[in-house]
Amino acid sequence: MNPSPAKYSRITGTGSHLPETRLDNAALAARLAADGIETSDAWIVERTGIRARHFAAEGQLASDLAVIAAQQALQAAGRRPDEIDLIIVATSTPDMIFPSTACIVQRKLGMHGGAAFDLQAVCTGFVYALATADSMIRSGLATRALVIGSEVFSRILDFKDRGTCVLFGDGAGAVVLEGSDQPGLLASELHADGRHAGILCVPGQVRGGAVTGDPFLRMDGQAVFKLAVGVLDSVSRSVLARAGRAADSVAWLIPHQANIRIMSSAARKLGLPAERLVVTVNEHGNTSAASIPLALDCAVRDGRIRRGHSVLLQGVGGGFTWGAVLLDF
Ligand code: UT7
């Protein structure tokens, strides 16, 4: 335990990685058609805004994507791996049941010591992980963290279920979060309501050396849609109130990238113009816990998000879970 913990935490570097294979809607539709499943670019674009997604290569694991994203974030922060004393990987598609993907990432980065663990809050995972790292830094349990969202959702998609398999993609995003005298993270809020566990889940288990039950992602899309629109608005207002900030002070809104209709509604409800919404769902699909750090890194690297800009991150997903983080970049 650090005897004089930092007052705040702030992001000092960002990184991301997408696997090489990119499938646009037409290519995915052709692949599904070979199995007698009908879909179209027009349906996918109109209902979701998704035009393409990336899929990991055979044998490429969440830790492989995470390590590349983490190396980029470390480089951007000007930090060596041995200066990090906490790794949190938000993932629902870990390399194995245990050890955690975070421990595997730690080894692949050539590090040892410090804490490393996975955090499972499905698509809200990165928001949960960032808020957790922030409180660990401010309590003195850690000084410098790698916070990563990494997913290979292609492994849990049922390519015979057109209602879900067109929505998701693979990827990773990472940030370095460090103790600081200046804010940084201004306010966070996390929520869960397990009564809705069944509307978005992978219900299978490993038991007695075999998978029992259904090992594929299942979703009641309309139920998720309705809940998401309501909770994203309420949690965002609450986080802004905690920080004493008005909605129009937000320079960039980065919602979980699941569906452009949900994201646009989140911006509209806060009274923010569409130009302040960071959108990557069109090119990445829904990458679950990776979607927010991927979008953050894209907007930092293309120069939209600059030092001092106020950024609101909004997560929502399976559990049912949701949360938001307001930060000055
Ligand atoms: O990351 C976690 C957060 N997840 C989300 O935020 C997802 C939230 N939900 C959604 O984004 C939307 O509900 C979906 C995009 C999943 C679905 O959109 P929808 O407007 O709710 O469509 P629907 O499920 O009501 O389906 C409408 C029609 C159905 O046909 P009928 O019954 O009206 O004849 C579906 O069978 O569209 C059909 N359909 C498709 N057609 C072509 C469903 N999937 C497809 C498809 N291609 N891929």
Side-chain angles (χ1 to χ4, degrees), residues 32 37-40 43-44 47-48 122-123 153 161-168 200 219-226 228 256-259 261-262 286 288 316-318 320:
L32 298 181
I37 309 294
E38 254 183 69
T39 188
S40 65
W43 189 95
I44 302 170
R47 302 288 173 126
T48 70
V122 201
C123 304
F153 259 51
D161 175 8
R162 67 178 181 172
T164 54
C165 72
V166 302
L167 306 175
F168 295 89
L200 178 48
M219 179 168 74
D220 176 346
Q222 288 189 359
V224 172
F225 195 106
K226 275 185 209 140
H256 169 48
Q257 310 276 317
N259 184 317
R261 293 186 289 147
I262 299 176
N286 179 347
S288 192
V316 63
F320 202 70

Side-chain angles (χ1 to χ4, degrees), residues 250-253 264 267 271-279 299 304-305:
V250 173
W252 298 104
L253 176 62
S264 301
L272 296 174
E275 305 79 68
R276 294 200 213 167
L277 188 60
V278 178
V279 178
R304 274 178 293 171
I305 297 183

Side-chain angles (χ1 to χ4, degrees), residues 197-211:
I199 64 174
L200 178 48
C201 56
V202 179
Q205 301 159 13
V206 173
R207 189 188 295 170
V211 173

Side-chain angles (χ1 to χ4, degrees), residues 172-321:
V175 303
V176 174
L177 191 73
E178 307 196 23
S180 158
D181 313 335
Q182 307 292 323
L185 263 67
L186 302 168
S188 314
E189 213 175 280
L190 306 176
H191 294 276
D193 186 345
R195 290 174 301 175
H196 302 293
I199 64 174
L200 178 48
C201 56
V202 179
Q205 301 159 13
V206 173
R207 189 188 295 170
V211 173
T212 59
D214 181 357
F216 290 117
L217 183 151
R218 302 296 174 203
M219 179 168 74
D220 176 346
Q222 288 189 359
V224 172
F225 195 106
K226 275 185 209 140
L227 268 173
V229 166
V231 297
L232 287 182
D233 190 49
S234 59
V235 78
S236 300
R237 285 178 193 286
S238 185
V239 159
L240 284 162
R242 276 174 191 260
R245 296 266 180 106
D248 70 3
S249 70
V250 173
W252 298 104
L253 176 62
I254 309 186
H256 169 48
Q257 310 276 317
N259 184 317
I260 191 68
R261 293 186 289 147
I262 299 176
M263 296 164 57
S264 301
S265 135
R268 211 168 34 244
K269 282 175 174 240
L270 288 173
L272 296 174
E275 305 79 68
R276 294 200 213 167
L277 188 60
V278 178
V279 178
T280 50
V281 68
N282 53 336
E283 273 298 311
H284 301 173
N286 179 347
T287 58
S288 192
S291 91
I292 291 175
L294 260 165
L296 174 66
D297 184 53
C298 285
V300 168
R301 282 177 195 269
D302 69 20
R304 274 178 293 171
I305 297 183
R306 295 196 295 277
R307 284 283 159 216
H309 282 181
S310 164
V311 182
L312 179 60
L313 312 180
Q314 298 176 323
V316 63
F320 202 70
T321 54

Side-chain angles (χ1 to χ4, degrees), residues 43-68:
W43 189 95
I44 302 170
V45 171
E46 190 196 316
R47 302 288 173 126
T48 70
I50 296 167
R51 293 181 183 276
R53 76 285 296 140
H54 291 246
F55 284 154
E58 190 67 35
Q60 199 172 26
L61 302 173
S63 67
D64 297 319
L65 307 181
V67 163
I68 300 171

Side-chain angles (χ1 to χ4, degrees), residues 115-206:
F117 62 93
D118 285 3
L119 195 152
Q120 221 277 40
V122 201
C123 304
T124 320
F126 184 77
V127 165
Y128 264 65
L130 198 58
T132 302
D134 170 61
S135 31
M136 288 178 72
I137 287 171
R138 285 187 297 106
S139 72
L141 256 178
T143 54
R144 239 173 252 126
L146 261 172
V147 186
I148 305 170
S150 186
E151 301 282 15
V152 283
F153 259 51
S154 57
R155 305 274 151 75
I156 51 168
L157 295 178
D158 176 0
F159 286 96
K160 296 200 163 27
D161 175 8
R162 67 178 181 172
T164 54
C165 72
V166 302
L167 306 175
F168 295 89
D170 301 337
V175 303
V176 174
L177 191 73
E178 307 196 23
S180 158
D181 313 335
Q182 307 292 323
L185 263 67
L186 302 168
S188 314
E189 213 175 280
L190 306 176
H191 294 276
D193 186 345
R195 290 174 301 175
H196 302 293
I199 64 174
L200 178 48
C201 56
V202 179
Q205 301 159 13
V206 173

